Amino acid sequence: MFSLLRKSRQPKTPPPPVMRTVDVAGKVMPLTIRQNARATRMTLRIEPGGRALKMTIPAGLPEREINAFLDRHQGWLMTKLARFSGESVLEEGGTILLRGVAHRIERTGKLRGLTEAVVIDDEPVLRVSGAEEHLRRRIADFLKKEARRDLERLVSIYARMVGRKVKSLSFKDTRSRWGSCAADGALSFSWRIVMAPPKVIDYLAAHEVAHLREMNHGPDFWDLCEQLCPAMDDAKRWLKRNGTMLHAIDFD
């Protein structure tokens, strides 16, 4: 009978955490990534106070999978961080997205005057006049005006490119769809789209104008849509991840 002496196995020391940053709607957040040999999936947590993020990953996970996970959860992060930063609360000191950029809301203190987006000390700011109880309505009115300006220009460009005429252009606060195109050439858009990045606004205009030629979602339609907006796939992904967050903002 032989006895086999085995060297006692010392537990492996986990690698030190990786410190990096992640951009969440224009806000740079510190992120700590820790490997855990027993982890079978990635988990993401917001630190108390909403000032930093922590992520736990299985050991040896490729960086591309980490980046893909963070990209997929952009909408979730924006919604959750709004509880701390005021992004979903339309009040002075909170923030509102305009063309994908978070603007701090600042009341001018004047009863009259225009709502305007400006940059103060390198910080995007939305300056709003009027009484405090009218703040949300004034912000909504400003977004509607900006959406009309952007989409009228883009629709005009794309309509010339496809050789079709637009009968009318209207703006609504629809929740079921971002835009529509009627058989008679009447286009309609949700004005909330102006909170999205420019490539998403561009895609929505291209999508509805493409319907002037192709009243379907067949291969020819998608080919035309991509010709008009080469960033179509990126824009669609952004809208799928973040569209619900834009609809959740209460302007009433």
Side-chain angles (χ1 to χ4, degrees):
M1 189 172 184
F2 298 90
S3 63
L4 185 62
L5 297 177
R6 294 188 178 180
K7 207 177 201 180
S8 62
R9 300 179 65 182
Q10 298 294 327
K12 289 185 178 180
T13 303
V18 175
M19 308 297 294
R20 55 174 283 190
T21 59
V22 59
D23 188 306
V24 182
K27 182 178 181 180
V28 178
M29 301 284 297
L31 170 66
T32 302
I33 303 175
R34 295 181 181 274
Q35 292 191 36
N36 187 327
R38 293 181 295 178
T40 58
R41 61 189 179 89
M42 289 176 278
T43 59
L44 183 62
R45 187 178 66 185
I46 300 173
E47 287 287 89
R51 297 182 180 275
L53 307 173
K54 276 191 176 181
M55 190 173 183
T56 301
I57 63 171
L61 193 73
E63 186 175 359
R64 65 177 180 275
E65 293 189 33
I66 297 172
N67 292 335
F69 180 89
L70 291 169
D71 188 52
R72 289 196 305 270
H73 287 77
Q74 274 278 316
W76 179 84
L77 281 171
M78 292 168 69
T79 302
K80 295 296 183 182
L81 288 171
R83 298 177 180 177
F84 304 101
S85 64
E87 285 177 4
S88 66
V89 180
L90 298 184
E91 60 185 22
E92 185 164 22
T95 57
I96 184 70
L97 289 172
L98 175 62
R99 300 183 182 94
V101 177
H103 286 62
R104 178 172 57 81
I105 300 170
E106 178 184 280
R107 293 183 58 236
T108 64
K110 300 178 181 178
L111 291 180
R112 297 184 180 275
L114 297 175
T115 299
E116 57 180 352
V118 297
V119 176
I120 301 176
D121 295 331
D122 295 326
E123 179 188 19
V125 177
L126 187 68
R127 305 192 76 237
V128 187
S129 61
E132 185 175 2
E133 60 266 28
H134 299 150
L135 180 71
R136 294 186 179 194
R137 177 178 60 80
R138 284 182 173 267
I139 293 175
D141 289 344
F142 173 79
L143 294 178
K144 293 173 187 177
K145 182 187 71 173
E146 294 298 300
R148 177 176 291 277
R149 185 174 72 173
D150 285 4
L151 286 164
E152 281 183 344
R153 176 181 59 83
L154 292 167
V155 164
S156 176
I157 292 171
Y158 291 140
R160 287 197 299 269
M161 291 174 68
V162 301
R164 294 291 191 273
K165 290 186 177 180
V166 177
K167 178 183 177 181
S168 62
L169 200 61
S170 62
F171 294 86
K172 302 175 182 179
D173 192 11
T174 52
R175 302 300 175 99
S176 59
R177 59 175 64 181
W178 288 103
S180 64
C181 174
D184 63 356
L187 302 185
S188 179
F189 296 95
S190 168
W191 53 264
R192 289 175 181 257
I193 198 65
V194 78
M195 292 186 282
K199 67 179 179 183
V200 181
I201 304 171
D202 189 271
Y203 159 68
L204 184 61
H207 184 114
E208 299 308 334
V209 169
H211 278 312
L212 295 174
R213 183 189 290 180
E214 301 286 342
M215 286 296 292
N216 54 68
H217 285 105
D220 290 343
F221 165 80
W222 290 114
D223 286 345
L224 176 58
C225 195
E226 189 170 20
Q227 290 174 29
L228 297 175
C229 178
M232 177 184 75
D233 289 340
D234 285 343
K236 288 171 65 177
R237 281 192 291 268
W238 192 98
L239 205 52
K240 184 176 181 179
R241 290 195 305 266
N242 304 294
T244 301
M245 182 268 297
L246 300 186
H247 282 311
I249 299 174
D250 184 10
F251 291 92
D252 295 327

